[in-house]
Amino acid sequence: MLSWIWGGDNNNGEQKTESHLGGGVSEKVVFEGVTIQDCIDVLADYEKYPEFVEGNAEAKITKDVNGDGKTFDVFWKASVTLFTVEYTLRLTKHDDGVSWTETEHGPFKKNQGNWKLVDLGNGNVEATYTVNIELNMWVPALVKDWLIGKGLPRTLKAFKERIESKAKAKKQ
């Protein structure tokens, strides 16, 4: 049903493969007309996610973990189908992307992932989005398949549009 998650093609030329995080998924997408810094500016602006990520109702930085402005605990409130979920992730900004891991607040046994950015040298940036999630509760396979099959592509499209539009506006 969702063979594209494990290396198939989603008809947009984006490849999804098994994640190096022990299961999960990994997808590559190319952001056009941007720099790595343009990407990081959007990826690390966590509190703005509700403006463009469907289902994200709230994002609030609750703690600067190391006091260095790079690692933050961020509270999230998200609406998924009929449920509202609240959780906190620890996110770290790197020179080549953003990574995250679960905290004790929320429904996740595991929620690890990252955006890894590579400058293609032609004004484009290749981004690899990797995520591995395990919940503390049982969720029907149909719901998980829907979330990955519909939610992941929508989320990546939202980031692509936001990053490219912000970069374009900055150049004007």
Side-chain angles (χ1 to χ4, degrees):
M1 181 171 165
L2 294 175
S3 63
W4 58 263
I5 293 172
W6 308 115
D9 187 47
N10 70 353
N11 298 324
N12 291 327
E14 299 157 345
Q15 282 220 325
K16 295 165 185 72
T17 57
E18 187 167 347
S19 158
H20 68 279
L21 295 173
V25 295
S26 185
E27 179 175 351
K28 290 185 180 190
V29 61
V30 174
F31 300 130
E32 299 173 19
V34 303
T35 65
I36 285 181
Q37 189 59 52
D38 293 331
C39 297
I40 290 173
D41 289 347
V42 171
L43 296 174
D45 195 3
Y46 314 117
E47 292 182 337
K48 298 285 188 187
Y49 284 21
E51 294 178 6
F52 66 98
V53 178
E54 183 180 338
N56 194 320
E58 184 179 346
K60 182 177 179 174
I61 294 172
T62 59
K63 181 179 179 184
D64 183 343
V65 176
N66 301 320
D68 63 1
K70 291 186 178 187
T71 301
F72 298 96
D73 283 353
V74 180
F75 167 82
W76 306 91
K77 184 185 282 187
S79 297
V80 181
T81 59
L82 303 174
F83 305 99
T84 297
V85 181
E86 295 182 0
Y87 56 95
T88 301
L89 296 177
R90 179 159 292 164
L91 293 103
T92 302
K93 181 171 62 169
H94 307 278
D95 292 339
D96 64 348
V98 172
S99 63
W100 65 89
T101 190
E102 74 283 345
T103 65
E104 293 184 13
H105 175 244
F108 303 109
K109 182 189 292 184
K110 180 191 290 184
N111 185 338
Q112 299 172 347
N114 61 57
W115 285 95
K116 181 81 169 166
L117 306 169
V118 176
D119 187 343
L120 297 177
N122 59 359
N124 297 333
V125 172
E126 180 183 76
T128 303
Y129 177 88
T130 303
V131 64
N132 187 1
I133 296 175
E134 292 179 27
L135 297 171
N136 286 329
M137 62 190 137
W138 179 81
V139 176
L142 181 64
V143 173
K144 284 192 244 182
D145 286 352
W146 183 86
L147 291 173
I148 294 170
K150 300 290 184 197
L152 180 59
R154 283 188 209 153
T155 298
L156 295 176
K157 181 179 179 195
F159 275 100
K160 180 174 173 60
E161 290 172 356
R162 179 75 165 207
I163 289 167
E164 290 174 356
S165 69
K166 289 279 188 182
K168 185 177 180 180
K170 198 163 75 171
K171 291 175 185 173
Q172 293 178 349

